[in-house]
Amino acid sequence: MGYAWNWSVLLSATPSGETTFLGWLLAGLQWTLGLSLAAWLVALIIGTLFGVLRTVPNRWLRGVATTYVEIFRNVPLLVQLFIWYFVLPELLPSTWGSAIKQSDPLMQQFIAAWLCLFCFTGARVCEQVRGGIESLPGGQRNAALALGLTLPQTYRQVLLPMAFRIIVPPLTSEFLNIFKNSAVASTIGLIELSRQAQQLVDYTAQPYEAFIAVTLLYALINVVVMLAMRWVEATTRFPGFVGGR
Amino acid sequence: MIVYDKVSKWYGSFQVLTECSTQVRRGEVVVICGPSGSGKSTLIKCANGLEPFQAGEITVDGISVGAPGTNLPKLRSRIGMVFQHFELFPHLSIMANLTIAQVKVLGRRPDEAAEKGLQLLDRVGLRALADKHPGQLSGGQQQRVAIARALAMDPICMLFDEPTSALDPEMINEVLDVMVELAREGMTMMCVSHEMGFARKVAHRVIFMDQGRIVEDAPTEEFFGAPRSERAQQFLSKILRH
Ligand SMILES: Nc1ncnc2c1ncn2[C@@H]1O[C@H](COP(=O)(O)OP(=O)(O)OP(=O)(O)O)[C@@H](O)[C@H]1O
Ligand SMILES: [Mg+2]
């Protein structure tokens, strides 16, 4: 095969001249990181909230949480993104809709992708949290309540601390997934990492270098996330804890 | 202290408790026995509202457990409960297990709570284990900590749900000893237990349940002397044989 490898292309200037092609990739990396981390933060919060609601005694609250999960877990991610980006502005009152359409397009893309990712991932975190809570011995809740703790205190002090320790491994894979899933944002034009790779190919005609570089950057994210989660696991371990499931 | 008045409870269409009435007076020790599934656990869990019931009334220290306006967390904080499977909080140290509710529920200062905790650990002979975690203790030790945890709240009465039935035989006595001491000090106690030696030693009354009904409710001597119902006689002969 006569492919002409040319790694120095990464360091050559882009057509606009302000930066190198590697600079493009790093700019894309920033969007991928910013989008994914912002979405992960919210996904953890609403996932925890709805995960708790799925296990409370009140069946109306449970119903609300179940509805949320069923909707966001079962509709394909790409469809959800198109709904947030294209359909939602049409459904809002027309003044809001046009305000959105006049705003900075980059912001529109980012916010739609962010909403989409945190709702989707939140539903998955919710199920992990519910599973973690349900895997605890049933007597734990009773023991906490019998001491006079309120239901919210019971969750905060007793059930969630244990549930989270148990679900660190599945949460790690959700955390990894959110970076991969953030690539859907390229379909609405957000110039994140995978979209930059595509651009690089278009401009340099060196697809192998571009995709190897991007793969390495995604792999780097993976390694960092794994290390971070391993650190979390180690620092929250306590004597006598048999981790995982 | 604890009064049950015609308490009935259903799980769907299945009736678990049928018009149970009894009372436990201040300083009294009542042991509840009966075959598996007869509703013993359910009966005592109704006393602190861990299980709701659909008919009848339970009052503890004059407060109605089932009334809609009752502050259940507050009432529960005054009723100690000990479970079959200990239910210590595994992520917390022994000391934190003893102090968490004192601080979060009673609003005690952490140092006050810790002092109380140490005092109670001393009492159950486990002061040296304060910094361990529950997973590092034997079953008998965990159950003694669980009793100490309940006592740390200065309860007005204690509920025990088969506190020794998950223990290896050699650990049963260390837990019963703590309970006997507690009974002798005048704690009001309601104990689901099949430890008939314990019942004979400290119980004022024994309640026998069968199929969700209180079949027998008699002073201890009378109960062991001549149980009135045939079911209780059968049950006793089975349980006392070993
Ligand atoms: N959540 C529930 N839903 C339906 N039925 C239940 C539930 N909990 C308990 N029961 C039933 O209620 C009955 C009484 O249960 P309970 O646990 O009070 O019995 P018990 O006397 O404590 O038995 P054991 O000696 O086995 O502990 C049993 O027949 C049990 O199957
Ligand atoms: Mg029981």
Side-chain angles (χ1 to χ4, degrees), chain A residues 181-218:
Chain A
N181 288 338
S182 71
V184 289
S186 65
T187 61
I188 56 170
L190 189 74
I191 321 276
E192 43 65 73
L193 188 51
S194 64
R195 174 88 172 200
Q196 288 287 24
Q198 191 59 54
Q199 279 212 70
L200 229 68
V201 177
D202 294 346
Y203 279 87
T204 65
Q206 297 286 147
Y208 288 4
E209 289 83 346
F211 280 107
I212 288 172
V214 154
T215 304
L216 288 176
L217 287 176
Y218 276 115

Side-chain angles (χ1 to χ4, degrees), chain A residues 3 22 25 37 52 69 72 76 90 106 109 117 125 127 142 148 174 183 206 210 222:
Chain A
Y3 186 78
L22 183 63
L25 284 185
L37 292 175
V52 165
V69 169
F72 287 99
E90 306 299 331
L106 187 59
Q109 292 158 5
L117 272 183
V125 170
E127 285 306 90
N142 275 347
E174 292 307 330
Q206 297 286 147
N222 266 24

Side-chain angles (χ1 to χ4, degrees), chain B residues 19-221:
Chain B
E19 303 206 342
C20 294
S21 297
T22 187
Q23 50 175 300
V24 184
R25 279 172 277 270
R26 191 176 301 274
E28 201 172 28
V29 177
V30 172
V31 166
I32 303 165
C33 60
S36 180
S38 56
K40 307 177 297 290
S41 300
T42 309
L43 186 77
I44 71 162
K45 280 187 201 153
C46 286
N48 62 354
L50 285 181
E51 290 286 353
F53 47 93
Q54 286 80 32
E57 196 184 21
I58 302 177
T59 58
V60 177
D61 198 29
I63 297 165
S64 168
V65 177
T70 301
N71 182 342
L72 268 184
K74 178 143 192 242
L75 181 62
R76 285 173 182 147
S77 72
R78 303 172 63 211
I79 306 174
M81 186 154 191
V82 175
F83 299 84
Q84 184 172 3
H85 297 286
F86 332 131
E87 307 300 350
L88 295 179
F89 307 135
H91 60 298
L92 300 177
S93 70
I94 298 305
M95 186 42 91
N97 265 277
L98 288 165
T99 54
I100 183 168
Q102 294 187 65
V103 173
K104 302 279 169 198
V105 179
L106 302 181
R108 288 185 184 151
R109 285 198 323 269
D111 56 320
E112 245 181 309
E115 195 178 319
K116 179 99 191 171
L118 272 183
Q119 204 181 313
L120 284 159
L121 276 183
D122 243 345
R123 163 173 191 166
V124 298
L126 297 173
R127 189 187 184 106
L129 301 182
D131 297 325
K132 299 270 185 217
H133 276 70
Q136 299 170 293
L137 272 57
S138 74
Q141 290 171 334
Q142 289 191 54
Q143 195 62 300
R144 279 143 72 196
V145 171
I147 295 173
R149 177 175 70 178
L151 292 176
M153 304 293 285
D154 294 319
I156 53 171
C157 58
M158 291 279 288
L159 309 173
F160 293 84
D161 190 1
E162 305 207 38
T164 58
S165 61
L167 294 175
D168 292 338
E170 73 270 19
M171 296 177 185
I172 290 179
N173 280 327
E174 66 185 60
V175 171
L176 287 180
D177 287 347
V178 173
M179 292 171 64
V180 167
E181 199 187 308
L182 203 55
R184 299 231 158 108
E185 281 170 18
M187 176 59 82
T188 307
M189 293 165 59
M190 212 172 160
C191 314
V192 176
S193 177
H194 290 159
E195 294 295 333
M196 290 302 137
F198 168 76
R200 272 184 209 271
K201 209 190 267 181
V202 295
H204 298 99
R205 280 187 9 254
V206 178
I207 289 175
F208 175 76
M209 288 189 73
D210 191 28
Q211 298 183 353
R213 289 173 194 275
I214 293 183
V215 178
E216 194 118 6
D217 183 350
T220 308
E221 265 123 70

